[in-house]
Amino acid sequence: MKIAIVDDEAEAREELQQVLRSCGIALVEQADCWHYASGEEFLAGFQPDSFQLVFLDIRMEGMNGIETARLIRKQTANLPIVFLTSSADYALEGYQVFPAGYLLKPIRQGRLQLLDILQHCLPQAPAVLAVQWNGRKLQVPRARIAYVDVKGNRRVGGRRGCVVHLLADRELAVDTPYPEVAAALRAADFAECYNHLLVNFAAVETLLADGFELKNGERLPISRRLYREVSRDYMEYLLRK
């Protein structure tokens, strides 16, 4: 995957690349990022199939981001364009070129907004969790997962790994370490609500004062330290749905 970052501030380009490198979406973290200091520089060698995603600063010296986007749209209607801006003044004008979204600077403060935009404009990740189970590869449909934990940092049977709990009151003691599973599910509406406890928001029936009640009747705790963040993320999930 190739991503273009077009911004006349070198520091802003580097900041965005660092956030993309740690966003938790493998396709983005492993992408080839190209930096451009102006719209003119970007358009000089642009081809419709050159990139799969473009981040475009609106306020730049010379050709601004909206003018650049209009010229991009003359060549392709499908390339996702995400505008970068320090104010919403250009929002109405910018929507005439059908952007995938807007990100307010500084980018680090809009990390959740960035993840939401990426999830909607990128090719959809496989709706399965790939794990190692008894020495062989297994694909578990994400929709069937209620939560993931480690049961004392050791999987059932004594070997290191984690436990994938299914909505059908079954559990899979897998060999894949918890950090790998958490990284694979981070951008798929799963959230860590307690230490080494990852819940699937789609499996939640009710948000309680101290935890979640799941659709299968189980209750999971939410740590005091994480409650505000996790409850906010869950409410944002409900609004998206």
Side-chain angles (χ1 to χ4, degrees):
M1 181 178 182
K2 289 178 65 177
I3 297 175
I5 301 174
V6 187
D7 195 310
D8 57 359
E9 298 179 1
E11 184 177 344
R13 297 195 300 269
E14 290 296 334
E15 179 187 17
L16 176 55
Q17 177 165 318
Q18 289 175 13
V19 173
L20 292 172
R21 287 282 183 262
S22 61
C23 71
I25 301 176
L27 183 66
V28 176
E29 291 183 344
Q30 299 166 12
D32 188 8
C33 290
W34 291 61
H35 292 204
Y36 298 90
S38 68
E40 292 89 343
E41 181 184 348
F42 172 68
L43 291 169
F46 176 73
Q47 297 294 329
D49 58 350
S50 300
F51 297 93
Q52 286 72 55
L53 180 61
V54 175
F55 288 93
L56 192 55
D57 186 31
I58 289 182
R59 302 182 67 177
M60 294 186 291
E61 294 292 332
M63 184 183 297
N64 67 32
I66 293 176
E67 293 169 341
T68 304
R70 288 196 181 111
L71 293 176
I72 293 172
R73 285 289 176 253
K74 287 184 177 181
Q75 298 187 57
T76 175
N78 299 321
L79 176 62
I81 298 172
V82 179
F83 281 129
L84 309 174
T85 180
S86 54
S87 87
D89 292 345
Y90 293 90
L92 184 60
E93 185 180 1
Y95 273 112
Q96 296 174 6
V97 293
F98 307 104
Y102 283 81
L103 280 177
L104 288 175
K105 295 181 177 181
I107 301 301
R108 291 187 185 280
Q109 296 181 12
R111 188 183 185 88
L112 286 176
Q113 183 186 11
L114 172 61
L115 286 174
D116 189 51
I117 290 172
L118 291 174
Q119 289 174 27
H120 284 84
C121 71
L122 292 177
Q124 292 298 306
V128 296
L129 171 67
V131 293
Q132 289 286 332
W133 180 66
N134 290 337
R136 60 190 180 91
K137 293 181 179 180
L138 182 69
Q139 291 189 332
V140 183
R142 292 199 310 246
R144 294 182 59 193
I145 300 173
Y147 61 98
V148 180
D149 65 11
V150 293
K151 287 198 170 179
N153 205 32
R154 291 183 179 275
R155 80 178 190 96
V156 175
R159 291 186 295 172
R160 292 193 179 278
C162 64
V163 183
V164 179
H165 299 261
L166 305 180
L167 281 167
D169 293 325
R170 292 182 55 195
E171 59 184 36
L172 293 172
V174 302
D175 302 311
T176 307
Y178 175 87
E180 290 185 23
V181 171
L185 296 175
R186 191 183 307 163
D189 292 325
F190 283 71
E192 190 165 69
C193 59
Y194 209 85
N195 187 38
H196 292 121
L197 176 57
L198 194 72
V199 63
N200 182 3
F201 283 154
V204 172
E205 180 68 28
T206 307
L207 173 64
L208 306 171
D210 59 353
F212 287 117
E213 181 176 339
L214 304 186
K215 294 176 180 178
N216 63 4
E218 290 189 73
R219 288 198 175 192
L220 300 180
I222 303 176
S223 74
R224 292 182 179 179
R225 176 178 60 86
L226 295 174
Y227 190 89
R228 178 177 295 180
E229 177 183 351
V230 171
S231 60
R232 180 197 62 205
D233 291 349
Y234 177 63
M235 296 309 295
E236 289 182 354
Y237 161 80
L238 292 179
L239 290 173
R240 293 199 305 271
K241 299 301 176 183

